[in-house]
Amino acid sequence: KAGVTQTPRYLIKTRGQQVTLSCSPISGHRSVSWYQQTPGQGLQFLFEYFSETQRNKGNFPGRFSGRQFSNSRSEMNVSTLELGDSALYLCASTRPDSYEQYFGPGTRLTVT
Amino acid sequence: SQQGEEDPQALSIQEGENATMNCSYKTSINNLQWYRQNSGRGLVHLILIRSNEREKHSGRLRVTLDTSKKSSSLLITASRAADTASYFCATGSFMNRDDKIIFGKGTRLHILP
């Protein structure tokens, strides 16, 4: 069974631009969560989607948004990028009826 | 805010020794998980322990959970170079209708040859 895939793996953007990251969960997993990981703040929860609906949301500004499609693939978007948005963005899908999360390799975003 | 707090933040041991990492948390939980991350890559699920369990084993891993002290420990026996990684605890809570999994900041484990 294929694992969680994320595209792109690396991205360099300029302040003020926007970015869209994509995540394809493991087949059969309907829940997708997004995390931001930085050296200073660690792993912080952004949001979770289940069956195309946002089920949970972390404490991030409205510039961070996401969506999920009918095939469970998910995208997250960050608008008006700031230097502080430079981070590793991780996507995880959750095994049905479980709390176990399966992570993708991440997208390394650098904002200059 | 972070729920889990791992201790120590960093640990270096000789190959073959045992490594112990601790996690403390603040609120009631349904389960606690441990994950491993190798140098800036995705996290890998290691083990899940439910709130009504006290100890769980998986290969060279042993996890304990003390809900009265709100703490857990991860023991890796007979460490290997490949165990060098960051280890995170993640707590699962069912609060109202929200299921949240919250990660700590991790313990960086370095196995010396």
Side-chain angles (χ1 to χ4, degrees), chain A residues 1 5 7 9 11 25-26 28 30 32 39-40 44 50 61 67 70 74-75 82-83 89 92 98 109:
Chain A
K1 192 182 260 190
T5 58
T7 56
R9 292 293 310 279
L11 205 50
I26 291 173
R30 293 161 62 193
V32 174
Q44 293 192 292
F50 181 83
R67 60 177 175 167
S70 59
S74 177
E75 288 181 348
E82 300 176 359
L83 294 179
Y89 290 87
S98 166
L109 172 65

Side-chain angles (χ1 to χ4, degrees), chain A residues 35 37 40-45 48 55-57 59 88 90 98-106 108, chain B residues 1-2 30-31 33 35 37 40-45 48 50 88 92-94 98-101 103-105:
Chain A
Y35 296 86
Q37 187 177 32
Q41 298 298 317
L43 202 64
Q44 293 192 292
F45 173 74
E48 180 205 3
R55 189 159 68 170
N56 279 306
K57 190 177 189 301
N59 297 322
L88 181 67
L90 293 163
S98 166
Y99 283 96
E100 295 175 25
Q101 294 194 310
Y102 295 79
F103 282 80
R108 173 76 63 183
Chain B
S1 61
Q2 303 293 132
N30 297 100
N31 62 78
Q33 303 178 63
Y35 287 81
Q37 183 180 35
R41 297 163 76 175
L43 279 72
V44 174
H45 181 265
L48 179 150
R50 300 184 190 282
F88 295 86
S93 301
F94 186 78
D98 296 330
D99 288 353
K100 290 184 183 291
I101 298 176
F103 286 82
K105 289 196 174 184

